[in-house]
Amino acid sequence: MNEIFLLKLGEIVLKGLNRHRFEERLQANVNRRLHKFGRFRVYTRQSTVYVEPLEESCDMDGAWKALHTVFGIAGMSRAKACAKDKDVFFETAKSYLHEQLMAAKSFKVESKRADKSFPMTSIQLSQYVGGLLSEAYPHLKVDVHNPELVVYLEVRDFNGYVHGNPTPGAGGLPVGAGGKGVCLLSGGIDSPVAAYMMAKRGLALEMVHFFSYPYTSMEAREKVLQLAREVTPYTGRLTVHIVPFTKVQEELRRSCPEPLFTIAMRRFMMRISQMVAESVGAGCLITGESLGQVASQTMEAMMVTQSVCKLPIFRPVVGMDKEEIIQIARKIGTFDTSILPYEDCCTVFTPRHPKTRPTVEELVEAEQNYDFDALCQEAFDGIESIAIRITDPEQER
């Protein structure tokens, strides 16, 4: 029988009557991710997603690597299917896990009997197969508390399955199960991490990037698109909406009091991002703001910024320090791109002494100097939307 993947569900198992909706979303995400690796049958039984290759040409290693970035999976095992017979379980464990059994110093056998018609209890099956493995591998010590290798035997509806220690999955909830959000994607370290964290909570994402050519370069634009490519193994396919922001910034420079420039710019970003969200059916905005990190990320500044929005604004890294954010950026593979020396529009016309405790009244008064509705509409009308898809196996982390 062929090798098969067993994907253990995470917090989906805690869902109530709508659990099936989360399972269906996860199956769809798994199917989409596996498409380029061959034909697979994907189905869910007893809190486990089965991924079964339907042809010999399936790229099992590529598929296995890709599934590690699919949210909604708590644990993953490469398993061998076998007949539900105690001696077949032993022979399968001996052949399929031979290298792991030879390399380990201690082991135990753990059985799960989902098929209650099987004539042995879980304990009896573990004792039987464990005894035979001890005889076959005399160097192995039985350790039921802290074994180096656990040999798992699963007696399920259709077959028996044998596998070794599972590997952690990506966790979280299936992308798309929580709706859709729009993430403001700069060229920095924080916003790709914010996107990753909200995708892990089940949000499908669209990205918005504000581009101020010629003050920001085409290299900066490409840097942001590369960051989008690097998060797609986790977020799934997405679209980057590139907003022409030069005119807005030039108008602000002309008429906005310098200490309020950054906050006024951020308010424009929120207005335009909300327009994008409404156009794509998204229900929230997402930013990479971290409390106190820069002048525009004080409590007062964030309150003034968000006051122009009707949609909720999620800030998943708001309570994290920079080192914590960097650790996640390294984990998901965006850090090296984020630190490339191409500045984004947030560094254009930076005030010498930005106000850290602005008030809504101050900004409303400053905004009387320009027609922000017309500026927002013109920027929105000039948006270039670029679809980002996972195309290269190397991107699958």
Side-chain angles (χ1 to χ4, degrees):
M1 294 185 180
N2 287 329
E3 188 177 42
I4 190 172
F5 300 152
L6 303 179
L7 312 179
K8 304 298 183 179
L9 301 183
E11 60 185 282
I12 292 176
V13 300
L14 303 177
K15 303 301 177 183
L17 296 177
N18 64 344
R19 172 175 165 173
H20 68 92
R21 181 172 65 84
F22 290 85
E23 292 179 348
E24 289 170 359
R25 174 65 67 172
L26 177 57
Q27 281 187 210
N29 292 348
V30 168
N31 268 311
R32 185 180 299 114
R33 192 60 57 88
L34 294 178
H35 178 71
K36 62 187 172 187
F37 300 106
R39 293 178 59 244
F40 292 84
R41 181 186 176 209
V42 179
Y43 54 98
T44 303
R45 297 287 189 280
Q46 299 167 324
S47 300
T48 299
V49 177
Y50 294 73
V51 179
E52 182 180 344
L54 296 179
E55 51 196 15
E56 293 294 329
S57 60
C58 286
D59 180 1
M60 296 295 284
D61 291 337
W64 177 250
K65 189 176 182 181
L67 289 173
H68 278 82
T69 63
V70 177
F71 290 126
I73 300 169
M76 305 169 54
S77 299
R78 295 181 78 148
K80 191 73 170 180
C82 67
K84 292 184 286 186
D85 177 88
K86 62 181 182 179
D87 292 310
V88 176
F89 271 116
F90 163 64
E91 293 296 337
T92 303
K94 183 179 176 182
S95 59
Y96 184 60
L97 301 177
H98 176 71
E99 292 184 5
Q100 296 179 53
L101 289 163
M102 290 298 295
K105 295 179 181 178
S106 62
F107 87 111
K108 75 171 182 177
V109 177
E110 189 169 303
S111 301
K112 181 177 181 179
R113 188 177 66 124
D115 178 4
K116 302 305 181 185
S117 68
F118 188 73
M120 302 174 75
T121 67
S122 297
I123 294 176
Q124 289 172 335
L125 180 60
S126 295
Q127 291 174 338
Y128 181 80
V129 174
L132 292 177
L133 288 174
S134 291
E135 295 176 7
Y137 298 90
H139 72 284
L140 280 174
K141 175 186 175 182
V142 176
D143 184 345
V144 297
H145 298 294
N146 296 295
E148 187 175 338
L149 173 65
V150 179
V151 176
Y152 290 91
L153 311 178
E154 301 197 26
V155 188
R156 292 186 171 268
D157 290 345
F158 306 115
N159 288 302
Y161 298 97
V162 176
H163 62 88
N165 296 334
T167 62
L173 295 171
V175 170
K180 182 187 289 188
V182 166
C183 181
L184 281 69
L185 183 65
S186 70
I189 298 169
D190 304 336
S191 55
V193 172
Y196 161 83
M197 293 178 69
M198 293 313 302
K200 189 172 184 177
R201 299 311 307 156
L203 277 184
L205 298 179
E206 303 265 338
M207 304 294 194
V208 172
H209 175 66
F210 294 88
F211 183 54
S212 294
Y213 186 81
Y215 302 108
T216 53
S217 65
M218 296 303 294
E219 288 84 0
R221 178 181 182 275
E222 179 53 37
K223 172 184 173 180
V224 168
L225 293 177
Q226 180 59 27
L227 286 172
R229 296 183 193 106
E230 289 168 352
V231 298
T232 51
Y234 299 97
T235 64
R237 55 190 180 183
L238 53 83
T239 299
V240 180
H241 304 278
I242 299 178
V243 179
F245 206 52
T246 306
K247 186 171 181 178
V248 172
Q249 290 195 294
E250 289 178 338
E251 181 64 23
L252 287 173
R253 186 187 189 190
R254 182 187 65 79
S255 60
C256 180
E258 184 182 0
L260 300 177
F261 178 91
T262 301
I263 302 300
M265 178 185 69
R266 294 286 297 175
R267 281 162 67 92
F268 265 106
M269 290 180 172
M270 294 300 173
R271 290 185 180 104
I272 298 169
S273 297
Q274 181 165 268
M275 294 169 71
V276 173
E278 291 171 348
S279 71
V280 300
C284 68
L285 302 181
I286 301 154
T287 75
E289 293 167 294
S290 176
L291 184 63
Q293 184 168 232
V294 294
S296 64
Q297 295 177 17
T298 63
M299 181 169 60
E300 294 85 355
M302 287 192 281
M303 185 274 292
V304 172
T305 298
Q306 72 182 26
S307 67
V308 300
C309 287
K310 296 179 294 183
L311 295 178
I313 299 174
F314 296 155
R315 300 177 173 96
V317 304
V318 70
M320 301 171 66
D321 63 36
K322 199 66 176 183
E323 187 54 40
E324 292 174 304
I325 298 170
I326 288 173
Q327 287 178 4
I328 298 176
R330 291 187 186 279
K331 170 188 170 182
I332 65 177
T334 58
F335 179 76
D336 289 341
T337 301
S338 291
I339 62 174
L340 291 174
Y342 306 121
E343 296 179 332
D344 60 36
C345 71
C346 293
T347 62
V348 177
F349 311 138
T350 303
R352 290 166 294 179
H353 303 291
K355 190 155 189 176
T356 57
R357 294 185 176 181
T359 66
V360 173
E361 292 74 21
E362 288 176 309
L363 270 296
V364 170
E365 182 178 352
E367 288 172 348
Q368 293 177 357
N369 297 326
Y370 43 80
D371 186 347
F372 55 80
D373 285 338
L375 287 169
C376 288
Q377 189 62 52
E378 183 176 348
F380 178 79
D381 291 341
I383 285 175
E384 177 188 5
S385 298
I386 300 174
I388 304 294
R389 301 289 183 264
I390 302 172
T391 56
D392 300 318
E394 291 77 12
Q395 286 183 260
E396 309 256 10
R397 289 177 167 74

